[in-house]
């Protein structure tokens, strides 16, 4: 399920970063560094890529490619679905580039997704989520292009999707706190901000509606998620399962008696007026 809820903005970022195009815009300082970076480029698996990245960062501590390499490391760990290592590299990336939107969104989203109601450090973790997400919302608005040739409209849409992911992280944090009003507000803001409709956010919003007994709203939102173009199969399955749960929770309409007519019963005649006081009835 976690893979199904991986955000669209992160997937887009993966396409930009793992395509390596921005990385090679600069020149390595030496032929040996160039060979080390080439090993990153030709790596065939996430583990191979991580090893190659670490080799560059260890051998060439002052490399000018540190930020894009760490971004690639985060994406590689996300491909492996390794939460601890994803956060590890995202934290290193944020230290290297304190306003890096991708690092902020990743830390906020992954931490919110993995924090549970009964965790002893829940409040501390969710406080971090709030800060990372709010910082990401601001940094997303002024993100510089990764590649100069990206059309302006496409980059603006990508920035909106990153901003929306930060709002979704705020919603997830509120949901863990059982602040369902706050969660609903942030999920709605994520959907309103996003340039690309995210059915996973719709499912999260529907779950909030279910938690607060708003079953009709939940069913309507799940239908929107299911009918979103290109919705992942796993998200569609989760949405349909939730719809089935809603159907079970709704009270069933009373069944008509066998053989009974569907026509409404004739109204009863009005009662006769009461006789005046003191009069004797026949």
């Amino acid at each position: 399920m976690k893979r199904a809820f991986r955000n669209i903005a992160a997937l887009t970022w993966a396409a930009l970063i793992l395509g390596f195009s921005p990385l090679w815009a600069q020149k390595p300082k030496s032929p040996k560094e160039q060979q080390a970076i080439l090993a990153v480029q030709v790596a065939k698996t996430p583990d191979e890529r991580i090893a190659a990245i670490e080799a560059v960062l260890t051998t060439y501590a002052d490399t000018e490619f540190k930020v894009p390499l760490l971004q690639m490391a985060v994406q590689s760990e996300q491909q492996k679905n390794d939460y601890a290592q994803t956060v590890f590299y995202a934290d290193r990336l944020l230290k290297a580039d304190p306003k890096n939107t991708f690092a902020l969104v990743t830390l906020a989203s992954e931490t919110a997704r993995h924090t549970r109601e009964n965790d002893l450090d829940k409040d501390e973790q969710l406080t971090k989520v709030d800060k990372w997400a709010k910082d990401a919302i601001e940094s997303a608005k002024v993100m510089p292009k990764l590649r100069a040739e990206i059309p302006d409209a496409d980059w603006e849409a990508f920035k909106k999707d990153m901003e929306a992911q930060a709002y979704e992280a705020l919603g997830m944090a509120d949901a863990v706190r059982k602040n369902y009003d706050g969660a609903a507000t942030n999920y709605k803001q994520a959907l309103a901000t996003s340039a690309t409709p995210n059915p996973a956010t719709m499912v999260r919003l529907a779950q909030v509606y279910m938690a607060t007994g708003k079953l009709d709203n939940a069913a309507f939102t799940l239908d929107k998620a299911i009918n979103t173009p290109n919705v992942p199969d796993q998200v569609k399955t989760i949405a349909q399962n939730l719809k089935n749960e809603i159907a079970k929770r709704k009270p069933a309409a009373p069944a008509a008696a066998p053989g009974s007519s569907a026509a409404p019963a004739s109204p009863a005649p009005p009662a006769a007026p009461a006789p005046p006081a003191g009069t004797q009835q026949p």
Side-chain angles (χ1 to χ4, degrees), residues 115-228:
T115 301
R116 300 290 177 262
E117 178 185 350
N118 296 321
D119 289 350
L120 295 179
D121 61 347
K122 178 189 74 174
D123 292 339
E124 178 187 352
Q125 293 295 89
L126 296 183
T127 297
K128 290 179 182 178
V129 170
D130 290 344
K131 183 180 187 313
W132 286 325
K134 289 174 182 176
D135 287 349
I137 289 168
E138 295 307 311
S139 67
K141 296 173 182 176
V142 293
M143 280 177 64
K145 282 186 182 181
L146 291 179
R147 301 202 310 261
E149 68 269 21
I150 299 174
D152 290 344
D154 290 350
W155 187 246
E156 286 303 312
F158 176 71
K159 287 161 61 177
K160 287 292 185 183
D161 285 341
M162 293 294 287
E163 189 178 343
Q165 185 60 25
Y167 278 114
E168 183 170 28
L170 290 172
M172 287 190 283
D174 278 332
V176 176
R177 295 183 179 107
K178 295 191 175 180
N179 174 15
Y180 295 126
D181 287 344
T185 297
N186 281 306
Y187 288 147
K188 288 176 183 177
Q189 186 62 45
L191 291 168
T193 302
S194 177
T196 309
N198 189 345
T201 308
M202 298 176 197
V203 171
R204 294 188 191 281
L205 177 58
Q207 288 173 317
V208 169
Y209 285 141
M210 291 175 69
T212 53
K214 299 176 181 177
L215 301 185
D216 289 337
N217 288 356
F220 175 78
T221 305
L222 290 169
D223 281 334
K224 286 180 65 177
I226 291 169
N227 293 311
T228 300

Side-chain angles (χ1 to χ4, degrees), residues 215-249:
L215 301 185
D216 289 337
N217 288 356
F220 175 78
T221 305
L222 290 169
D223 281 334
K224 286 180 65 177
I226 291 169
N227 293 311
T228 300
N230 303 315
V231 57
D233 289 340
Q234 195 173 357
V235 173
K236 185 181 289 187
T237 299
I238 293 167
Q240 188 57 58
N241 289 342
L242 290 173
K243 282 194 67 180
N244 295 341
E245 182 181 336
I246 290 170
K248 293 176 183 176
R249 287 171 57 178

